[in-house]
């Protein structure tokens, strides 16, 4: 692999371009088998990089057939006037201060299976340019700090492509000979080329309007394939809510007269924020109660918001280079999290966000692909659209807000937009705006900057000492940041520690630090900025139970020597909802790890009665907040439990978790059944937070009842599967049935496929359920499903459902015989040739292979090496595999 290995790009090598591109005039002649792209570039010397004499102009281009190059009026000659290789078109010395260059290229979107650049999905043309797909459309300086104004003409056959869209406003349209037609679009806002978009196809749309805060009317449209118009209402509603929320919470108004969304079935990610022409994976647009689950509805709300919010955080202010990706992604994820918290339940949203962070980001941060929020180097930038850049990046934003307070944070945001509107900037520029807008806040911003630079999840070891005689409580925090690839030694980080001390009556004690004149609120934010730090609270009447990192105020792993009794106490009394949930999780982790250890030592696994009592108490309060209760009743995931072990005991974790679930189901069978019945819906189906909470709690109860394997539970589950009105209840019941050995298992799965074969997104659920089933035959079944008529290896959603679902199956994927790993290697090798981005996403499932036992490690290594030796390995897959095998 070493010879000719792809080269890494380094942040330290950044240099501004010698030439800027001010205007881009594109003409697309879309034809089967050969699309011609004519690009006219208005070039100007970059005043920010003064240079003398002629300067080379190097344009990026990939998989393009070059037809002609014209400078001004002069047709250039290959070899003398310019050179072309597999990745660039170079004009060796371009003179003067301005130039006009026309380039004609030919491309074949029909054969583009990588779904990057211009490609076809269900017969329609669409684009995906971020990060570097524009170079697959035409030669260009494909980098985000080149911002230009675009005019785009799209021409195609009218009958097959009645809808022709691009960014900005429609300024002209007309007929062409031979049944063809064209439209012309102009985007008044300068943008980087990764935000360019084009769509041509036979699409239908729904339309609505939004009046902005300054009274401008915006036409909103969602385009879908014919027949899906009745599944767009929720997405449209989410869009209007996002537009309003951004005006109110961030003072951001929309800046064009149209906002279009197009949903396509073949898309590598969730969605893309192209200026005024968002392109979405159908998964994040299409929803009807009978086809989509509550999770789908909430996902749509947050992704529609996320892409809309990018209009300011990403588009109006963009990234200088791709190392700055978290500048837009961390910030925009944080904004969509805030939005969803406001639209639904804030504590529930926070818990779900932290669950996700732990599930995916903590795993990444502890493995071979760990990297800082602002990476220093990459081989393939598409590999860096990671949980670290997105989710940990969002946590960094949350910490700014916790440190500065809501008002200080908003001042910083306002200054950021005021300074940088229309620019391509860095995370340092963002930090400077936050700092400069809050001169009175005493935070060492240089130290805070380490959150962008240091990888690895900090571990905080905390302890508390109560001195009854002195009535003081001393809290000691000690931070360590684990070594990560390329970063053996770390500096202490600066982080907000939101905390409270809970008194014996269950209330927060007023907090007064030594040296302070008076006691303050019961919850406050302290700043941890040293490796070891102690604080002493005075006037503490009795030994308190500390509630630390409330609301998960920093993305860390906390270790505090809580007793089981203290955790049960916090579960019941902590005023911070997040920490009430957290206490339950911590207790469950303790108990489960003890059970795993017992099993490993050949002892029987036992469930402490006190834990079952604590679960009973949670059940008794369940109707106070059903969504919260459903989360509080859910045991930590097998992945999270695995993170707590040096060598992950796959079977032990699974056995312990199943036994505990069964014990809960048996101990509380009657209460669970009563909760189930009380949550049943009355009246029409709705997706209000209350209705979602009812279904979540009801299905949590059903899952525990099913864990007992009892006939009553199975009958109830079957009844729910057969009679439920909405997809949430249907799919949970089917999942539980698929996970059981019920006689009806296969007939239910068959009936579901029969019923939903025409709905691709519903069939994805069917594939996923079978891939995730804890069934001895799963790997065989998944292999067989690759040949199912509804499956296609070329469709990312299908791959994520079946292959991705299988890699999330804790026992079957990690089967000791290596069958799961071999299956994944085969798929990665197949995908490598078709769609490197999807292949690379899948191969990340090997990331923690060194944390399993010797037998599994050996099998994973064989699989990884087999991938490494694949001819024509893409940069995407190469980078992940090479890192995984290193060190
Ligand atoms: N910005 C896009 C992601 C592009 C991924 C390119 N491989 C979607 C988003 O984060 O909003
Ligand atoms: Zn984004």
């Amino acid at each position: 692999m070493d010879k000719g290995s792809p080269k890494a790009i380094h942040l330290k090598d950044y240099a501004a371009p010698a030439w800027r591109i001010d205007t881009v005039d594109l003409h697309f002649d879309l034809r089967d088998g050969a699309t011609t792209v004519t690009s006219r570039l208005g070039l100007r010397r970059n005043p920010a990089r003064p240079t003398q004499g002629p300067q080379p102009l190097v344009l990026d281009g990939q998989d393009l057939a070059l037809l002609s190059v014209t400078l001004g009026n002069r047709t250039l000659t290959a070899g003398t006037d310019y050179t072309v290789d597999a990745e660039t078109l170079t004009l060796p010395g371009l003179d003067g201060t301005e130039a006009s260059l026309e380039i004609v290229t030919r491309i074949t979107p029909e054969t583009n299976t990588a779904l990057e650049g211009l490609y076809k999905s269900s017969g329609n043309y669409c684009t995906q340019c971020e990060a570097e797909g524009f170079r697959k459309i035409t030669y260009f300086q494909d980098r985000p700090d080149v911002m230009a104004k675009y005019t785009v003409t799209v021409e195609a056959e009218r009958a097959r492509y009645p809808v022709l869209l691009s960014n900005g406003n429609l300024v002209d349209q007309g007929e062409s000979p031979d049944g063809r037609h064209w439209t012309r679009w102009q985007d008044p806002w300068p943008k980087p080329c990764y935000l360019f978009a084009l769509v041509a196809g036979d699409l239908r749309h729904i339309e609505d309007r939004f009046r902005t805060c300054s009274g401008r009317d915006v036409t909103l449209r969602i385009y879908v394939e014919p027949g899906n118009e009745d599944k767009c209402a929720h997405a449209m509603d989410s869009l209007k809510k996002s537009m309003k929320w951004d005006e109110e919470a961030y003072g951001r108004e929309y800046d064009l007269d149209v906002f279009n969304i197009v949903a396509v079935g073949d898309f590598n990610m969730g969605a893309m924020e192209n200026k005024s022409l968002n392109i979405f994976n159908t998964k994040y647009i299409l929803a009807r109660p009978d086809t989509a689950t509550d999770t789908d509805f909430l996902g749509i709300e947050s992704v529609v918001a996320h892409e809309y919010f990018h209009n300011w955080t990403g588009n109006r202010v963009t990234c200088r280079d791709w190392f700055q990706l978290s500048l837009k992604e961390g910030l925009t994820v944080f904004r969509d999290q805030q939005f969803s918290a406001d639209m639904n339940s804030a504590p529930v949203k926070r818990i779900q966000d932290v669950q996700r962070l732990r599930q995916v980001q903590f795993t990444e941060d502890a493995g071979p692909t760990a990297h800082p929020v602002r990476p220093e180097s990459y081989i393939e930038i598409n590999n860096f659209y990671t949980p670290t850049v997105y989710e940990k990046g969002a946590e960094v934003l949350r910490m700014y807000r916790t440190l500065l307070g809501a008002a200080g944070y908003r001042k910083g945001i306002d200054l950021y937009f005021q300074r940088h509107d229309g620019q391509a900037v860095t995370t340092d520029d963002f930090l400077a705006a936050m700092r400069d807008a809050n001169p009175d806040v005493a935070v060492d911003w240089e130290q805070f900057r380490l959150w962008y630079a240091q990888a690895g999840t900090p571990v905080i070891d905390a302890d508390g000492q109560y001195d009854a005689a002195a009535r003081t409580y001393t809290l000691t925090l000690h931070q360590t940041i684990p070594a990560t690839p390329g970063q053996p030694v770390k500096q202490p980080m600066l982080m907000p520690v939101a905390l409270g001390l809970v008194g014996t009556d269950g209330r927060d004690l007023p907090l007064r630090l030594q040296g302070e004149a008076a006691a303050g609120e019961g919850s406050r934010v302290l700043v941890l900025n040293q490796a070891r730090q102690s604080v002493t609270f005075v006037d503490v009447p009795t030994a308190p139970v500390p509630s630390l990192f409330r609301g998960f105020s920093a993305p860390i792993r906390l270790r505090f020597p809580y007793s089981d009794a203290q955790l049960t106490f916090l579960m019941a009394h902590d005023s911070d909802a997040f920490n009430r949930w957290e206490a339950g999780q911590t207790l469950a982790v303790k108990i489960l790890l003890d059970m795993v250890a017992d099993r490993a030592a050949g002892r029987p696994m036992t469930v402490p009665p006190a834990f079952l009592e604590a679960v009973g108490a949670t059940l008794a309060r369940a109707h106070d907040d059903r969504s919260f209760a459903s989360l509080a009743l859910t045991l930590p995931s097998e992945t999270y439990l695995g993170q707590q072990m040096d060598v992950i005991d796959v079977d032990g974790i699974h056995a312990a978790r199943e036994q505990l679930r069964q014990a809960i189901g048996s101990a509380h069978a009657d209460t669970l059944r009563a909760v189930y019945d009380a949550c049943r819906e009355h009246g029409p189906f709705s997706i209000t937070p209350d209705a979602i909470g009812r279904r979540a709690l009801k299905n949590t109860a059903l899952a525990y009842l099913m864990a007992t394997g009892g006939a009553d539970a199975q009958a109830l589950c079957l009844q729910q599967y057969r009679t439920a009105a909405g997809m949430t209840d249907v799919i949970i019941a089917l999942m539980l049935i698929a996970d059981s050995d019920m006689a009806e298992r296969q007939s239910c799965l068959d009936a579901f496929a029969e019923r939903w074969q025409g709905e691709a997104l519903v069939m994805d659920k069917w594939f996923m359920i079978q891939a995730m089933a804890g069934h001895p035959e799963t790997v065989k079944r998944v292999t067989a499903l690759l040949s199912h008529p509804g499956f296609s290896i070329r469709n990312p959603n299908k791959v994520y459902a079946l292959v991705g679902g299988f890699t999330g199956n804790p026992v079957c994927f990690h089967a000791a015989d290596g069958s799961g790993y071999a299956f994944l290697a085969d798929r990665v090798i197949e995908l490598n040739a078709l769609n490197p981005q999807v292949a690379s996403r899948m191969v990340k499932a090997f990331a923690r292979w060194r944390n399993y036992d010797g037998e599994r490690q050996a099998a994973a290594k064989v699989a990884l090496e087999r991938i490494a030796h694949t001819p024509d390995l893409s940069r995407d897959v190469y980078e992940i595999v090479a890192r995984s095998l290193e060190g």
Side-chain angles (χ1 to χ4, degrees), residues 130 273 306-307 310 328-329 332-333 390:
E130 189 178 0
E273 70 264 25
H306 179 99
E307 306 311 331
H310 267 315
K328 74 179 178 82
E329 295 304 348
T332 306
V333 171
Y390 276 63

Side-chain angles (χ1 to χ4, degrees), residues 116 128 130-131 194 269-273 306-307 310 325 328-329 332 381-382 385 390 837:
E116 191 187 40
Q128 171 54 38
E130 189 178 0
Y194 80 85
M269 324 82 60
M272 179 63 213
E273 70 264 25
H306 179 99
E307 306 311 331
H310 267 315
L325 183 57
K328 74 179 178 82
E329 295 304 348
T332 306
I381 185 56
N382 282 326
Y385 287 74
Y390 276 63
Q837 276 185 56

Side-chain angles (χ1 to χ4, degrees), residues 819-846:
S819 54
Y821 300 153
F823 170 84
L824 180 61
D826 290 340
R827 301 293 78 70
V828 170
I829 291 167
E830 196 180 350
L831 284 162
N832 175 66
L834 293 169
N835 188 330
Q837 276 185 56
V838 173
S840 162
R841 263 174 83 160
M842 290 298 103
V843 83
K844 285 185 175 180
F846 283 116

Side-chain angles (χ1 to χ4, degrees), residues 269-297:
M269 324 82 60
M272 179 63 213
E273 70 264 25
N274 317 300
K275 185 80 186 186
S276 76
L277 179 52
N278 284 190
I279 299 182
F280 269 64
N281 187 324
T282 45
K283 180 175 164 57
Y284 290 106
I285 292 293
L286 304 182
R288 231 174 31 202
D290 63 326
T291 64
T293 62
D294 293 337
T295 307
D296 294 328
F297 275 93

Side-chain angles (χ1 to χ4, degrees), residues 121-406:
S121 173
S122 307
N124 300 319
Y125 291 93
C126 64
T127 53
Q128 171 54 38
C129 293
E130 189 178 0
E132 298 178 334
F134 195 70
R135 66 185 63 188
K136 291 177 152 188
I137 295 174
T138 180
Y139 285 100
F140 200 76
Q141 296 196 87
D142 191 354
R143 46 188 291 168
D145 58 351
V146 171
M147 297 173 84
K149 286 191 187 173
Y150 284 68
T151 305
V152 180
T153 308
V154 189
E155 190 186 319
E157 186 188 316
R158 180 185 272 286
R160 282 195 293 158
Y161 309 103
V163 176
L164 305 174
L165 306 171
S166 191
N167 317 86
N169 302 312
L170 177 67
V171 291
D172 204 359
Q173 56 188 320
E175 300 298 318
S176 306
D178 305 326
R180 295 171 66 79
H181 71 144
W182 58 271
T183 58
R184 181 162 301 141
W185 298 80
Q186 221 163 40
D187 183 354
W189 299 103
K191 64 169 177 284
C193 65
Y194 80 85
L195 292 173
F196 164 81
L198 174 155
V199 170
D202 183 11
L203 301 164
R204 305 286 181 277
H205 70 266
I206 65 157
E207 185 170 309
D208 209 326
R209 299 189 89 68
F210 179 80
R211 177 158 295 173
T212 71
C213 51
S214 74
R216 281 189 307 100
D217 277 327
V218 183
T219 303
L220 313 175
R221 285 184 173 184
I222 299 180
Y223 289 88
V224 292
E225 281 178 38
N228 281 330
E229 301 91 317
D230 63 344
K231 301 194 194 85
C232 301
H234 179 67
M236 183 62 92
D237 202 36
S238 303
L239 176 59
K240 289 192 289 180
K241 283 183 186 167
S242 311
M243 296 178 86
K244 186 157 191 315
W245 186 89
D246 213 16
E247 292 181 347
E248 289 166 0
Y250 277 80
R252 298 293 113 200
E253 184 181 1
Y254 188 60
D255 55 3
L256 281 164
D257 300 333
V258 288
F259 189 88
N260 290 321
I261 291 179
V262 179
V264 302
D266 303 279
F267 206 66
N268 286 342
M269 324 82 60
M272 179 63 213
E273 70 264 25
N274 317 300
K275 185 80 186 186
S276 76
L277 179 52
N278 284 190
I279 299 182
F280 269 64
N281 187 324
T282 45
K283 180 175 164 57
Y284 290 106
I285 292 293
L286 304 182
R288 231 174 31 202
D290 63 326
T291 64
T293 62
D294 293 337
T295 307
D296 294 328
F297 275 93
L298 293 170
I300 289 167
E301 182 178 75
S302 89
V303 178
V304 167
H306 179 99
E307 306 311 331
Y308 174 72
F309 297 156
H310 267 315
N311 190 52
W312 276 94
T313 51
N315 301 5
R316 287 286 287 258
V317 184
T318 195
C319 302
R320 187 194 72 174
D321 55 72
W322 291 121
F323 297 100
Q324 319 299 329
L325 183 57
S326 199
L327 173 81
K328 74 179 178 82
E329 295 304 348
L331 175 54
T332 306
V333 171
F334 180 55
R335 275 151 54 69
D336 85 53
Q337 290 177 349
Q338 290 180 298
F339 166 75
S340 292
D342 283 356
M343 296 301 120
N344 303 285
S345 150
V348 165
K349 176 65 180 153
R350 184 64 185 137
I351 292 166
Q352 290 165 339
D353 291 339
V354 174
Q355 279 180 324
R356 184 177 156 69
L357 184 81
R358 286 178 171 160
Q359 188 79 9
V360 294
Q361 200 279 325
F362 280 21
T363 300
E364 180 169 79
D365 234 358
T369 56
H371 55 274
V373 168
R374 187 175 74 176
E376 302 268 303
S377 77
Y378 60 76
I379 288 177
E380 171 53 60
I381 185 56
N382 282 326
N383 282 333
F384 285 79
Y385 287 74
T386 60
T388 298
V389 167
Y390 276 63
E391 273 77 22
K392 189 175 182 178
E395 294 299 320
V396 174
L397 266 294
R398 190 179 293 271
M399 288 191 285
Y400 277 113
R401 191 172 182 276
T402 308
L403 289 166
L404 296 171

